[in-house]
C-alpha cells in the first residue's frame, strides 16, 4: 500500500522524507518520489520507478534538494502502470502545487474530462493528478490554499489521505483525510504528517490521528486542524509506545496476520468504486450483453489459492448466469489440448500477475482465439498487460507468501463480475441482484465481526496444533472454501491436510478416519446444512474430533455434536465463503505459530511462481 510522509521544520526536509519512506518500505511499493520547496528554486520534484535506493541515488541522499518543507510518497500502482510519470508527488500544471495521495478518487474521470475542457493538460494516468489540477483550478478562483482545498474536497468522491505543498506558502503543509489513514506528528525541530507511525517514530512519538473529513495546516511550530466546514477542531495527542522493530510490520507480529486483519479495508477498496446507486459498474471492461450472449464456453484458469477462488466462483457464476463454467488448473490447461476457441471467454485469476503457468495458459487461450479477462492485484504485471481486459483487485501489496487479502479481494471481485454478467444475460432476478449488492456493501463490516473473534480461533489452534493430518470437509461452496482452508494450513504449518467434498468420504477416504483424527467440518451453506450435519455425525462415530465452522443460525445444532464450533454471521449464500474462509486463515496462522514455523516465508515456497 502507498506510504505518505510530509515535514516542515528547522532541518533539511529531503533526508527526513527519504528516511521516512525507507521505514515504510515493508508496505511494498513500485515507485517513490519527493517534492521539496526551496527559497530559490520553488518546488523541486524527484521521482523514480523501482526501489527507494534509486531515488536516494538520484538525489544524493536528499542533498540535491534544498528546503525545509516537503512531501514524500511510495506508490503501489492502482490507476496507471508503475513508472516515473505516474509516481507521486503530482504537480499542478503551473508547477506551483504538489501533492501526494493515498486512496482512490472514484469520480476522477468526470473531473478530468471537465478540466480538460477548461484547457488543463494532464501528464499522468493517475486519479491523483486530478486532485492536483483541481486544486490549482480552485486556487486560481480564491487565491487561498485552505479554501481551495475545502472546495476541492467537496468535489472529489472516494478515499484519500493527502499531503499538499504550494510554492506560495513557504512555511505550511496541508493535509486531509477520508477513509485512508493519516497521522500528525509533533516533533522538536518540526512537524510531520504520515500515513503510518513507522515513518516518524524516529523523530517523535507524540502523534494525533486525523479523522475523516479533517483538514490540517502544519507549520514548523504548530498544527491546526479543521473540520470539513473549516471550523477548528481540538486534537487529542497519543504517545506511541512501540519500538521501531515492531513498527516494521505496522505493529503486527507477521505480515500474514497484518494482511488477514487488513481484509475488510481491502474489500472496501475493491468494491466501493465499482458500486454506484445499487448497480455494479465495471468501467474498465468492454464486455457487452451481445458478446456475453454469444459466448459458448466460460473458463476460469488459475493456480493455488487463485484457483480456489475459481472453484467458489464456479458455483456462484453458474447460479448467477445459468451458464456452465469450467475451472482449470493453469498447469494442466495448456497441456490438455483445451476446447477453447473464439467463442470462449477465459477468466484468468492471479495475485502477482506473473505466475508462469497462468500466463502460459492465458497465451494458449488467446492463441486459440479466446477473449481473456484478467483479475489481477499487481498493476502493470505481465498478465494484466497481455489480457484483453483487466480488473484490478486493489488489495495493496501482499507480502506474506500465504495469500489472504488477495484471495478475499479476488473472491469479491469475481462476485461483482458474476453479478454484472448474470445481469447482462438477464439471469439474475432484481431481488437477488439487490440482496447481493447489499451483502457486498456490508461485507467489510461482517468481516470485522469475524476478525473480532481471533481469540476463539487461537484457543482451538492451541488445542489441535499437534495433529499430523487434518481433513476439511464440506459440500458445494463449503467444499470450495475448504480447499483454501486446507492449502493455508499445509503451506504454513506443514501439517498434511486434504479437502474433501463430504459426500465423497464414504467412497474411500473415510477409511482414514480413526480415533483422534481432526476433521474441520464446514457447515456455512444453509441449503445443505442438514447434509453437513450427517457427515459430522458420521466422522464422529468413527472417533474423529470435529472443529466446525457454521453460521449463527446453526450454532446450537452444531455445538451439540462438534467438539469446537467457530461461528460467522449468516449472509447471502454467494458471499458466505468470503466470511467462512477467515476463521480458516486464522486457524492456519495460529497453528503455524504454535508449531514455531516461519509463517511469512514457509519452506520451499515463493510468493510468485515464475518457473514451471
Ligand atoms: C497461496 O497462499 C499461494 N501463495 C499460492 O497458491 C498462490 O495462490 C499461487 O501460486 C498463485 O499465485 P498468483 O495468484 O500470484 O498467480
Amino acid at each position: 500500500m502507498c506510504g505518505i510522509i510530509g515535514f516542515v521544520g528547522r532541518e533539511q526536509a529531503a533526508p527526513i522524507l527519504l528516511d521516512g519512506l525507507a521505514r515504510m518500505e515493508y508496505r511494498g511499493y513500485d515507485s517513490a518520489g519527493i517534492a521539496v520547496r526551496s527559497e530559490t528554486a520553488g518546488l523541486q520534484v524527484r521521482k523514480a520507478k523501482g526501489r527507494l535506493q534509486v531515488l536516494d541515488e538520484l538525489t544524493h541522499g536528499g542533498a540535491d534538494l534544498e528546503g525545509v518543507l516537503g512531501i514524500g510518497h511510495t506508490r503501489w500502482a492502482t490507476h496507471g502502470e508503475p513508472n516515473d510519470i505516474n509516481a507521486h508527488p503530482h504537480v499542478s500544471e503551473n508547477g506551483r502545487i504538489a501533492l501526494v495521495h493515498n486512496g482512490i478518487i472514484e469520480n476522477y474521470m468526470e473531473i478530468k474530462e471537465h478540466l480538460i475542457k477548461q484547457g488543463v493538460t494532464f501528464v499522468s494516468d493517475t486519479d491523483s493528478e486530478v486532485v492536483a489540477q483541481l486544486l490549482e483550478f480552485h486556487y486560481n478562483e480564491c487565491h487561498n490554499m485552505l479554501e481551495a482545498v475545502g472546495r476541492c474536497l467537496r468535489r472529489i468522491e472516494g478515499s484519500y489521505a493527502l499531503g499538499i505543498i504550494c510554492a506560495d506558502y513557504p512555511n505550511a503543509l496541508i493535509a486531509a483525510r477520508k477513509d485512508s489513514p493519516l497521522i500528525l506528528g509533533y516533533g522538536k525541530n518540526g512537524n510531520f504528517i504520515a500515513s503510518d507511525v513507522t515513518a516518524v517514530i524516529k523523530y517523535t512519538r507524540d502523534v494525533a490521528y486525523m479523522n475523516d473529513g479533517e483538514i490540517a495546516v502544519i507549520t514548523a511550530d504548530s498544527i491546526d486542524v479543521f473540520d470539513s466546514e473549516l471550523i477548528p477542531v481540538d486534537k487529542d495527542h497519543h504517545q506511541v509506545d512501540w519500538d521501531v522493530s515492531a513498527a516494521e510490520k505496522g505493529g503486527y507480529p507477521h505480515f500474514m496476520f497484518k494482511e488477514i486483519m487488513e481484509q475488510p479495508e481491502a474489500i472496501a477498496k475493491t468494491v466501493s468504486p465499482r458500486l454506484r446507486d445499487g448497480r455494479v459498474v465495471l468501467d474498465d471492461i468492454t464486455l457487452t450483453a451481445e458478446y456475453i450472449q454469444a459466448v459458448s464456453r466460460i473458463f476460469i484458469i488459475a493456480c493455488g489459492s487463485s484457483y480456489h477462488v475459481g472453484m467458489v466462483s464456479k458455483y456462484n457464476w453458474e447460479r448467477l448466469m445459468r451458464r456452465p463454467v469450467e475451472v482449470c488448473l493453469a498447469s494442466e490447461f495448456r497441456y490438455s489440448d483445451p476446447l477453447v476457441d473464439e467463442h470462449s471467454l477465459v477468466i484468468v485469476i492471479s495475485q502477482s500477475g506473473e505466475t508462469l503457468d497462468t500466463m502460459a495458459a492465458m497465451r494458449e487461450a488467446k492463441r486459440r482465439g479466446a477473449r481473456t479477462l484478467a483479475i489481477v492485484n499487481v498493476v502493470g504485471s505481465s498478465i494484466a498487460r497481455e489480457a484483453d481486459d483487466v480488473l484490478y483487485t486493489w488489495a495493496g501489496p501482499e507480502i506474506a507468501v500465504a495469500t489472504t487479502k488477495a484471495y478475499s479481494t479476488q473472491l469479491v471481485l469475481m462476485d461483482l463480475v458474476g453479478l454484472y454478467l448474470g445481469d447482462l444475460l438477464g439471469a439474475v432476478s432484481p431481488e437477488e441482484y439487490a440482496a447481493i449488492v447489499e451483502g457486498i456493501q456490508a461485507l467489510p463490516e461482517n468481516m470485522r465481526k469475524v476478525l473480532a473473534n481471533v481469540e476463539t480461533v487461537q484457543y482451538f489452534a492451541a488445542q489441535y496444533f499437534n495433529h499430523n493430518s487434518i481433513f476439511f470437509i464440506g459440500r458445494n461452496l463449503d467444499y470450495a472454501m475448504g480447499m483454501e482452508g486446507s492449502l493455508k494450513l499445509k503451506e504454513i504449518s506443514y501439517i498434511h491436510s486434504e479437502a474433501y467434498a463430504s459426500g465423497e468420504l464414504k467412497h474411500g477416504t473415510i477409511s482414514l478416519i480413526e480415533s483422534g483424527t481432526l476433521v474441520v467440518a464446514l457447515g456455512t451453506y444453509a441449503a445443505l446444512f442438514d447434509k453437513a450435519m450427517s457427515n459430522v455425525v458420521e466422522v464422529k462415530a468413527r472417533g474423529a474430533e470435529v472443529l466446525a465452522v457454521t453460521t449463527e443460525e446453526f450454532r446450537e445444532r452444531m455445538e451439540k455434536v462438534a467438539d469446537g464450533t467457530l461461528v460467522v454471521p449468516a449472509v447471502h449464500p454467494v458471499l458466505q465463503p468470503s466470511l467462512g474462509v477467515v476463521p480458516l486463515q486464522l486457524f492456519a496462522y495460529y497453528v503455524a505459530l504454535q508449531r514455531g514455523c516461519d509463517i511469512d516465508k514457509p519452506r520451499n515456497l515463493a510468493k510468485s511462481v515464475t518457473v514451471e
Side-chain angles (χ1 to χ4, degrees), residues 303-306 349-353 355 358 401-403 410 487-488 491 607 609:
C303 297
S305 295
S306 298
I349 309 176
S350 176
Q351 185 285 130
S352 61
T355 301
T358 310
V401 165
T403 180
Q410 286 168 347
L487 178 65
K488 283 286 85 77
E491 69 180 323
K607 180 68 184 159
V609 185

Side-chain angles (χ1 to χ4, degrees), residues 14 17 25 81 135 173 181 183 273-274 317 434 437 486 533 595 606:
L17 300 175
E25 272 195 299
E81 65 177 72
L135 251 178
L173 166 64
I183 61 136
R274 292 167 170 139
W317 281 29
V437 167
S486 170
M533 275 305 286
R595 292 166 73 96

Side-chain angles (χ1 to χ4, degrees), residues 107-147:
N107 59 341
Y108 81 103
M109 271 318 268
E110 177 193 319
I111 298 174
K112 189 169 179 173
E113 280 160 18
H114 171 76
L115 291 173
I116 288 172
K117 280 192 196 133
Q118 310 286 319
V120 177
T121 306
F122 285 78
V123 294
S124 79
D125 306 318
T126 66
D127 54 333
S128 309
E129 187 192 354
V130 169
V131 187
Q133 306 288 18
L134 186 63
L135 251 178
E136 180 183 305
F137 179 83
H138 287 303
Y139 185 63
N140 288 341
E141 285 174 344
C142 65
H143 307 290
N144 175 306
M145 200 55 197
L146 189 58
E147 175 58 30

Side-chain angles (χ1 to χ4, degrees), residues 585-599:
Q585 297 167 341
L586 287 166
F587 183 68
Y589 172 79
Y590 283 118
V591 166
L593 193 65
Q594 288 281 349
R595 292 166 73 96
C597 299
D598 187 351
I599 291 179

